[in-house]
Amino acid sequence: MFPLAFVLSWQPTRFEAAAAVEDLERALEQLRGLGYQGVELAVRDPAAVPAGRLRALLARSGLRVPAIGTGQAWVEEGLSLTHPDPAVRRAALARLEAHLDLAAEWGAQVIIGLIRGRRMEGVEAERARGWLMEALGYLAPRAAARGVRLALEPLNRRETDLLNTVAEVRALVEAVGHPNVGVLVDTFHASLEEPSIERALEEAGDRLFHVHIADSNRRAPGWGGLDFRPALKALERIGYRGWLSAEVIPSPTLEAAMTQVARWAREALGAPPA
């Protein structure tokens, strides 16, 4: 029904839901063996990625790359599209342009999540929103020229105070007005901020570009308290044809989490991952 991916990071990170792996080749082999079709790559700095080796490993695995995560640039380096220092905002834009180049090679989307930052002291919400709109307006045509889409993700209020709900993100996406800028819905964040994950997905509607799956405790689906059936039905109703990408805490181990996500997909979708 929906192709299945798992989020991995080849670079060390403090971000707990992007599982950092030292042996990417082995992790890709495990994903392929479990029936995954893709691997979402969380990348702090594309310049630090050994592109040739990554290209070879992905070709050998047969896995596709549906999206490139960018949040580590904020977590590890403080790069932010809404920082009051223009130099920091310019550095964040430059980093994202590098992500666009990487994404273009794999036909992947680029996720705008944590890299939008938080409102810093003295920065009003409208000012921060304006900086974010300017950044997206700058990036969108450059992404389009590379055949890349940008997926803006609502995040829960413990991680940012900028754009916590699908309604807020969709409104900003509409204001930016570029067809290659859309919405990413993460079931973990939605479980904290939305009255209904099902209604949030429907509100994203035709602007829904990507879906992250994680349970209420950010562990693999089935290891928390969420009932995913209404969300899956909502995706069917809106005609979503994109990926389900597991961005989960690798607990108790990465292999256990990957196995559980694949098991959940078989049970929830009524068939092996499509």
Side-chain angles (χ1 to χ4, degrees):
M1 182 186 298
F2 304 110
L4 187 68
F6 197 96
V7 179
L8 294 177
S9 172
W10 205 356
Q11 297 162 315
T13 179
R14 289 175 291 168
F15 181 55
E16 63 180 2
V21 293
E22 294 184 4
D23 189 345
L24 182 62
E25 182 173 14
R26 181 172 182 271
L28 295 179
E29 289 175 353
Q30 290 174 323
L31 289 176
R32 181 180 61 184
L34 288 167
Y36 286 81
Q37 291 76 51
V39 56
E40 181 178 317
L41 297 174
V43 177
R44 178 184 60 80
D45 185 356
V49 172
R53 176 155 173 73
L54 178 59
R55 190 178 299 116
L57 290 178
L58 287 170
R60 192 176 307 144
S61 72
L63 296 173
R64 291 176 284 165
V65 181
I68 301 290
T70 62
Q72 293 177 33
W74 160 254
V75 174
E76 309 297 340
E77 300 177 58
L79 297 185
S80 165
L81 297 175
T82 60
H83 197 282
D85 185 344
V88 176
R89 298 200 301 274
R90 288 194 297 269
L93 281 175
R95 181 65 56 82
L96 284 168
E97 286 200 76
H99 282 102
L100 295 181
D101 291 335
L102 186 65
E105 178 168 357
W106 312 118
Q109 303 176 80
V110 168
I111 297 169
I112 309 295
L114 287 168
I115 199 169
R116 68 173 168 273
R118 298 180 60 89
R119 275 199 302 126
M120 308 290 280
E121 185 176 353
V123 177
E124 295 180 355
E126 281 306 304
R127 172 63 64 86
R129 185 176 183 273
W131 283 332
L132 181 55
M133 286 188 62
E134 288 176 12
L136 292 172
Y138 173 87
L139 291 167
R142 288 161 175 79
R146 295 166 169 85
V148 173
R149 298 197 299 177
L150 303 174
L152 184 58
E153 180 180 15
L155 301 172
N156 76 79
R157 68 192 69 189
R158 288 179 290 187
E159 298 188 27
T160 184
D161 50 6
L162 293 171
L163 305 178
N164 304 120
T165 68
V166 168
E168 291 170 337
V169 167
R170 170 124 195 184
L172 189 137
V173 164
E174 298 290 354
V176 171
H178 286 269
N180 66 322
V181 180
V183 182
L184 185 163
V185 173
D186 183 308
T187 58
F188 166 72
H189 294 294
S191 73
L192 297 174
E193 296 291 344
E194 305 286 354
S196 162
I197 298 175
E198 178 183 11
R199 288 200 295 273
L201 291 165
E202 291 174 338
E203 187 160 19
D206 61 355
R207 304 301 291 176
L208 182 63
F209 283 5
H210 196 50
V211 174
H212 279 167
I213 53 169
D215 218 314
S216 56
N217 51 9
R218 210 165 197 163
R219 297 182 69 189
W223 284 352
L226 291 183
D227 178 0
F228 286 87
R229 289 172 296 181
L232 293 173
K233 290 179 181 178
L235 291 175
E236 291 180 12
R237 284 196 298 275
I238 66 175
Y240 178 71
R241 294 293 179 267
W243 290 77
L244 299 182
S245 191
E247 187 181 61
V248 301
I249 297 171
S251 175
T253 65
L254 173 59
E255 185 173 358
M258 292 191 300
T259 301
Q260 171 59 21
V261 172
R263 181 185 300 117
W264 168 84
R266 287 192 297 271
E267 295 174 353
L269 304 177

